[in-house]
Amino acid sequence: MRILLIDPPFKRFTGFANFYFPIGLSYVGAILEKAGHHVAILDVDAIKQTTGLDFSDEYNKLELYKQGINNDTHPVWQEIEKILSEWCPDLVGITAMTPKIGSVIKTAQLVKKVNPNCPVVVGGPHATLQPELTMKCSAIDVVVKGEAENVIAKLVAALQSKNDLSTIQGISYRLSNRVIHNQPAELLADLDQVPFPGRHLLMNPENYSSENMGVIMTSRGCPYNCSYCCHLWGRKVHNRSINNIINEIKLVIEKFGTTQFEFKDDSFTADRQRIMNLCDTLMNENIKINWGCSTRVNLLDEQLARKMKLAGCNVIKLGIETGSQRILDKTDKGITFAQVRQTAKLLNRLGIFWSGYFMFGLPTETEEDMQKTYRFMKEINPYYAGLGVYNPFPKTKLFDEAVALGLLYPEVELDHFFKTNPKDYFFKDPDKRVLNMSKEKFEEISKMMSRQFHRHNTKLINLLRRGWARRLVYKRSPAVFYADIKKVLQWV
């Protein structure tokens, strides 16, 4: 079969920079190619480059996304329709995340407009967590829930031969105007058996830098239970072997000349000894790369951080969330401010570029809680400080609490995602995000914090720290240096 896998547009509307390649679709593409199908991956945001890095006006830019999904004449939809008409897929797969579910629906409808008989399969986080809602879109024929690698080849074979779908675990599908939800599929027992992501299947490969191709997942799952987060893979962590990871790194270096990698695990250092072994292997095999990762303040110590730096780690991303003890308790994150301070001092002393990520606007948050977050950011002084308004996601503890408080709808209809700014999804009244604050006060504090975080990030010392962390990348790939200079000039 000719199979087109699509990551629908989102950043094309907002102008925000598009980083990396769609790794989930690339895993699916590799599985399908191995099964003998002709596969291509369309990352719509990569058709034309966007470079915006300033998130201080994120809400208004997301309004452009809302306008775009309601504008049938927008150029992006014409591009997709043209590709569908020329490529003539026998089946289309679409990845769905909640912030861009409207774009997913629009893309599915375009597929049916071009070819009403082409099956549309949707997977990803939103489809997994809300299969009933996703299947309300009549243009979607099948939803894949959870890991697709165990499911997709069997599903495509059944669709190709028009066989019964009732025995395929991990899917929801339409039968005689009814939606059938099959039993969940088991998680993959051995990640080493999964082919490496099919980066070679990407359309418009010239629009990806060598760094874009450097995304690698060395594990799946997270052992923690934060109240704002939902785990597709559960709380058990499944690891790839060190040898399997190293082989993928070598392949990406060989094919794309990548020198800056990004390990996208939820909590990269959850298994300390495993990461020590990975670092030892990188050094023993003289693999000279730089890499970044995301982890937690309670999962780093000096010996580990030093070894990571020696093995090429030049960026560490940490979720701090808040400066308020009351709000920290609400997140169920399981960290302390003492651990945050200790880790911040450690990374500052070792000179490893690190980012701290914060959020505000939780259901019971107060003005004082938000002010504490700003003051705490200034105290620990991350080299980069990310700030975002809390986004409620179904199937999380905080979402259920907000429903109980009367702030959120427990369920919505599909048109909600076309009428509403992504930051306001599920809110009964977007002007009432928190219980104890007026819209005017919330907007005032929001603008103040966004300005101050942006000012912190664009200080000369922090820009120089970012550049210094990437000096070896610049030496090996001067084009990356010039691209970064261009981004910084737009950012500041």
Side-chain angles (χ1 to χ4, degrees):
M1 294 182 80
R2 290 174 62 82
I3 300 175
L4 184 61
L5 304 176
I6 302 178
D7 194 349
F10 186 75
K11 293 175 181 176
R12 285 280 301 281
F13 297 118
T14 65
F16 290 131
N18 185 45
F19 295 107
Y20 308 121
F21 69 99
I23 189 169
L25 286 183
S26 299
Y27 271 118
V28 171
I31 292 279
L32 291 172
E33 184 183 50
K34 187 177 180 181
H37 300 285
H38 180 40
V39 184
I41 300 171
L42 175 61
D43 177 3
V44 180
D45 281 340
I47 295 177
K48 293 182 181 178
Q49 294 295 325
T50 50
T51 57
L53 294 173
D54 181 5
F55 288 85
S56 60
D57 193 31
E58 182 183 18
Y59 188 91
N60 288 330
K61 289 179 178 175
L62 287 173
E63 283 292 306
L64 298 176
Y65 162 77
K66 188 177 74 173
Q67 294 170 19
I69 61 174
N70 285 287
N71 180 5
D72 291 344
T73 63
H74 194 286
V76 74
W77 303 123
Q78 296 172 8
E79 291 170 12
I80 297 172
E81 186 171 347
K82 183 172 184 288
I83 291 169
L84 288 167
S85 298
E86 293 176 349
W87 213 80
C88 298
D90 301 308
L91 182 146
V92 170
I94 307 174
T95 185
M97 298 183 70
T98 297
K100 55 180 180 179
I101 187 60
S103 186
V104 172
I105 294 167
K106 191 79 171 179
T107 302
Q109 291 170 340
L110 268 181
V111 175
K112 295 297 188 181
K113 176 184 175 184
V114 173
N115 181 1
N117 297 317
C118 180
V120 174
V121 178
V122 174
H126 181 88
T128 297
L129 297 176
Q130 294 204 295
E132 300 90 350
L133 178 60
T134 307
M135 288 295 292
K136 286 185 177 182
C137 173
S138 60
I140 296 172
D141 300 297
V142 183
V143 158
V144 176
K145 301 172 285 188
E147 287 179 325
E149 292 90 344
N150 256 350
V151 174
I152 194 65
K154 300 173 193 173
L155 173 61
V156 170
L159 289 171
Q160 185 175 18
S161 58
K162 297 185 173 11
N163 285 345
D164 179 26
L165 302 181
S166 63
T167 61
I168 300 176
Q169 294 182 333
I171 68 167
S172 299
Y173 64 100
R174 217 176 297 281
L175 180 66
S176 301
N177 296 320
R178 292 188 303 126
V179 174
I180 309 298
H181 301 286
N182 289 357
Q183 291 296 311
E186 292 185 4
L187 292 175
L188 292 163
D190 183 4
L191 295 181
D192 284 5
Q193 297 303 309
V194 180
F196 295 151
R199 295 171 174 86
H200 62 287
L201 302 174
L202 291 161
M203 303 174 78
N204 308 294
E206 68 281 359
N207 290 339
Y208 296 91
S209 68
S210 63
E211 185 175 350
N212 291 154
M213 294 299 196
V215 181
I216 290 180
M217 291 195 71
T218 78
S219 68
R220 295 181 181 182
C222 178
Y224 296 92
N225 198 31
C226 300
S227 62
Y228 52 85
C229 185
C230 189
H231 303 300
L232 298 186
W233 298 302
R235 295 180 65 186
K236 182 179 180 181
V237 180
H238 298 257
N239 294 319
R240 293 168 59 185
S241 69
I242 301 300
N243 185 60
N244 186 258
I245 299 163
I246 293 295
N247 286 341
E248 184 179 356
I249 291 172
K250 289 179 177 178
L251 178 67
V252 175
I253 293 172
E254 177 188 346
K255 295 290 186 183
F256 305 105
T258 301
T259 56
Q260 178 72 49
F261 285 78
E262 181 73 20
F263 296 124
K264 293 294 283 186
D265 307 42
D266 289 330
S267 299
F268 182 66
T269 58
D271 185 338
R272 182 183 186 278
Q273 188 56 54
R274 175 174 169 272
I275 301 307
M276 294 285 280
N277 294 343
L278 175 61
C279 291
D280 284 337
T281 306
L282 286 169
M283 291 186 286
N284 291 340
E285 297 204 18
N286 199 32
I287 300 175
K288 296 187 179 298
I289 59 171
N290 285 123
W291 48 274
C293 66
S294 300
T295 189
R296 295 166 51 95
V297 296
N298 60 317
L299 297 178
L300 277 175
D301 58 70
E302 182 159 354
Q303 182 188 24
L304 176 59
R306 285 186 179 278
K307 178 157 285 191
M308 289 167 63
K309 183 178 180 180
L310 287 172
C313 179
N314 62 342
V315 179
I316 295 178
K317 301 173 182 176
L318 300 169
I320 311 300
E321 316 312 347
T322 180
S324 162
Q325 183 63 59
R326 188 180 69 84
I327 297 299
L328 185 63
D329 292 341
K330 285 280 186 185
T331 67
D332 293 338
K333 196 168 179 73
I335 62 173
T336 67
F337 291 134
Q339 289 171 328
V340 175
R341 292 184 175 97
Q342 180 180 354
T343 302
K345 288 178 181 177
L346 169 65
L347 297 178
N348 287 338
R349 178 160 49 85
L350 294 181
I352 300 176
F353 189 95
W354 70 282
S355 303
Y357 290 89
F358 302 81
M359 64 179 173
F360 69 101
L362 276 68
T364 63
E365 198 161 5
T366 65
E367 179 180 355
E368 178 57 25
D369 291 323
M370 296 178 192
Q371 295 285 359
K372 286 179 178 178
T373 294
Y374 169 65
R375 292 195 295 267
F376 192 55
M377 183 276 289
K378 297 296 291 182
E379 175 192 341
I380 60 176
N381 194 29
Y383 293 178
Y384 175 84
L387 178 69
V389 178
Y390 163 67
N391 271 28
F393 290 106
K395 307 292 176 68
T396 63
K397 181 180 176 181
L398 267 184
F399 184 94
D400 292 341
E401 288 182 2
V403 169
L405 291 169
L407 294 173
L408 302 180
Y409 294 113
E411 296 179 358
V412 294
E413 296 300 322
L414 290 180
D415 65 342
H416 174 81
F417 299 107
F418 287 86
K419 299 185 298 185
T420 310
N421 187 297
K423 285 291 181 184
D424 297 331
Y425 285 169
F426 299 102
F427 277 95
K428 290 183 175 181
D429 180 1
D431 291 341
K432 189 68 176 176
R433 299 189 69 93
V434 293
L435 275 182
N436 303 309
M437 198 177 304
S438 67
K439 171 192 174 184
E440 292 73 21
K441 177 56 69 174
F442 184 84
E443 288 182 348
E444 176 189 333
I445 297 173
S446 176
K447 289 177 181 177
M448 180 278 293
M449 291 183 69
S450 295
R451 284 195 305 268
Q452 294 300 333
F453 273 64
H454 181 70
R455 187 173 299 167
H456 173 87
N457 293 330
T458 53
K459 287 194 301 187
L460 180 59
I461 183 63
N462 285 333
L463 294 176
L464 291 174
R465 285 166 170 164
R466 182 182 290 271
W468 181 252
R470 293 169 61 80
R471 63 193 183 280
L472 296 180
V473 182
Y474 297 153
K475 184 177 180 181
R476 298 170 191 144
S477 305
V480 175
F481 172 74
Y482 293 116
D484 279 4
I485 290 293
K486 189 175 181 180
K487 290 175 185 175
V488 167
L489 291 176
Q490 291 178 327
W491 187 27
V492 299

